[in-house]
Structure formats: structure tokens, C-alpha cells
Amino acid sequence: MSFACPPRSLRGISAVVALLAIGAVGCSEVAESAKDGAKKVARQRSVYSLDIGDCYNPNGKAEGTAITVEIVPCDEPHKGQVVGEFTLDEAGKYPGEDGVSAVADERCPVEAQKYAPDTWALPKSVSLFYYTPTAESWATGDRAVSCTYTDETNLLRVSLETAKSLEPAQTTYLKGSNAVYEALWTTQPETDTVEKDLAGYKAQAKAVAAALDTHVKGLGGVDGTEVGRLRATLTKAAGDWKKAADAADADAFYLAYDAAFTGIDPNKSVAARKELGLATTVPADEAEVWAG
């Protein structure tokens, strides 16, 4: 069965969607009842028309591209959910997979946090993926990127949306905390030593310090003993990041950076998170970074 629309690419840490047209039958589908098969066909939707909040099952498992996915109710077993979307601003020539992915790598975490602000509360095996234009779809005017959380190991059975259920204090904390780590990672210099790019590392320190100042200010309006203690810890960390931003040379930067980086160790926020009723298990990738 042919389609007028070209496929779109799904990429992430590893991809889970393969090109598979509606009506194609594999060995695993032979055993399906006619009723179940009809339901699956009826639920097919073009990857061009995905909406934020859609829960879905891909029509394949190999890395590659997709034309359709099976949309399912979020309380039914599913592999992924659309948690954000945006439109690429680029015009003219297709920037290539790497060019498109570079933008998606930066934007999708931000868009996803609007839908599911507490990344600590996500299932451990969930990873961020995104549907992006291919060279073929770009030629037809496709500029949309759909950001998804996909569970490669298990099946999801609930919506991952949490933004609407958060209390004001929880939202304030998460907004400030997410901004701090976003500032840290999005401004990370490409060089691996301060000596090679002191200006770049100082710019990173300045960005983190500014985000911390905003976070500390927000926490000033949140009640709680542990929140107060965290606020004091982050106030000191902000000062250390400012010292790093003002460092005269690499040695001075290193001296300030050690305390600054330790000051925003996610483990230091566990008690405050517990007090606020938020998830308290540090994600494995973050724990590994601060474990050194």
C-alpha cells in the first residue's frame, strides 16, 4: 500500500520506529483476532498529525523512519507518548539529520518539561525521542518536530503528564530547579579543559549563577524547613558560580568551580523534594555525573 506522504524520522539515544505501511502483515500479527486487527488498523494515525498527549505504539522496532503509529488510550499498554512539539524555523535547503537533531536535542528536553516537569518521577526505562523531518518530507514543507517519551524496556499504562496536577509550591520548585540544570548543560563548552576555553566556561558559570539566583528567589516564597535549608545551600552555590564566572585565570576558575558544582549536586535536594511531595530518587544518569 503506497502513501503520498514521505516518512518521518524518529531519533533519540536509540530509535524504536521502523517504516511499516498500514496493511502490512508480519508473523506476530497473524495470530491476532480479526477484531483486534481491525481495531489496530482503525487506530492508525499519520506521524504528521500527532498531538501532545497522544499515547501510541510504533509499527515496528528497528531504527529508521515511520509513516504511521497506532494511537491508543493512555490507560492501555503503550510504548510512547508525545510530550512536546515545535516548528523548525529553517527555510531553504534541508540541514541534514545532524542539523535537525541538534535543534531537537536542545529543544525537546525543554518542551517535555512543560508537560512532565518532574523528570525524577519518570519510569527508569523511559528516554526522550523525537520525530523529525527527513529530506523527503522537508521538500514537502515539513518543519515540525514531535518530542516523545518512549519506554524501550516496558509498556507504559498511564499518561506521563504531571504539569496539571502539581501544587503551586511544587511548580515553583521544579521550574527553578529545571532552569538551573538546563543552564548548566546547554552552555557546556565543547572543549574538555578550562585552559582551552576559559571564556566559554566563565559564560557557563555566569548562566548557572543567574539561574540559581532566580531559583533561590522563587524558593523564598515556599514554606518548609528542608526547603529553607536547600535555599541556603543554593545561595552559597550561586556565590561560588559567580566566583567562577569572575575568575582571572584557569586556576582561579578550578578553585571556585569545585565548590560550585558540588553545591548543585541533586542529592542535596532530596530532603526538600520529600517535603514538597515530589519524587526523591535521583535519576541514574544524574547520580553518575555527581558521583564523579
Side-chain angles (χ1 to χ4, degrees):
M1 186 172 185
S2 62
F3 286 82
C5 294
R8 305 189 75 213
S9 176
L10 179 67
R11 299 187 67 181
I13 297 175
S14 59
V16 296
V17 173
L19 174 60
L20 184 66
I22 296 176
V25 178
C27 294
S28 63
E29 292 181 308
V30 174
E32 287 185 337
S33 67
K35 181 178 180 180
D36 288 342
K39 180 189 291 186
K40 183 172 183 178
V41 170
R43 288 176 168 180
Q44 296 296 309
R45 183 186 298 176
S46 165
V47 291
Y48 285 91
S49 59
L50 293 175
D51 296 320
I52 295 177
D54 283 344
C55 293
Y56 69 91
N57 285 310
N59 291 320
K61 296 181 180 180
E63 181 176 358
T65 56
I67 293 176
T68 62
V69 294
E70 178 194 10
I71 299 298
V72 301
C74 290
D75 59 0
E76 290 187 14
H78 58 278
K79 296 296 291 184
Q81 183 173 13
V82 182
V83 294
E85 60 184 9
F86 64 91
T87 302
L88 294 165
D89 296 329
E90 290 88 344
K93 186 178 179 181
Y94 177 60
E97 286 189 8
D98 290 343
V100 173
S101 293
V103 178
D105 284 341
E106 180 179 346
R107 291 284 304 275
C108 274
V110 177
E111 297 302 320
Q113 284 181 0
K114 295 176 183 177
Y115 191 79
D118 191 0
T119 56
W120 290 27
L122 294 171
K124 294 181 180 179
S125 51
V126 162
S127 299
L128 192 58
F129 290 73
Y130 38 80
Y131 283 102
T132 59
T134 60
E136 294 175 281
S137 68
W138 186 274
T140 68
D142 180 22
R143 299 292 186 274
V145 175
S146 297
C147 310
T148 82
Y149 274 129
T150 298
D151 195 320
E152 297 181 274
T153 305
N154 305 302
L155 289 173
L156 300 169
R157 289 177 170 79
V158 296
S159 171
L160 298 176
E161 180 180 19
T162 56
K164 294 180 181 179
S165 63
L166 293 171
E167 298 293 333
Q170 294 173 321
T171 298
T172 296
Y173 170 82
L174 291 171
K175 181 178 180 180
S177 179
N178 289 342
V180 169
Y181 295 105
E182 179 186 346
L184 176 67
W185 300 125
T186 60
T187 60
Q188 178 70 32
E190 294 184 4
T191 57
D192 57 0
T193 60
V194 176
E195 289 83 356
K196 293 180 180 179
D197 188 8
L198 178 60
Y201 278 94
K202 288 176 64 174
Q204 179 192 42
K206 183 178 180 179
V208 176
L212 277 168
D213 280 343
T214 301
H215 188 23
V216 167
K217 182 178 180 180
L219 291 180
V222 179
D223 295 329
T225 301
E226 296 299 338
V227 171
R229 289 174 179 167
L230 177 62
R231 186 170 185 267
T233 296
L234 296 180
T235 298
K236 180 182 182 305
D240 291 328
W241 281 102
K242 290 172 186 176
K243 290 178 182 178
D246 295 333
D249 53 38
D251 288 339
F253 182 91
Y254 281 123
L255 187 62
Y257 183 84
D258 185 57
F261 192 73
T262 300
I264 60 171
D265 182 339
N267 288 286
K268 295 181 181 294
S269 66
V270 170
R273 278 177 157 272
K274 182 177 181 180
E275 189 173 60
L276 289 169
L278 296 169
T280 57
T281 301
V282 182
D285 54 348
E286 295 184 39
E288 183 178 355
V289 170
W290 269 268

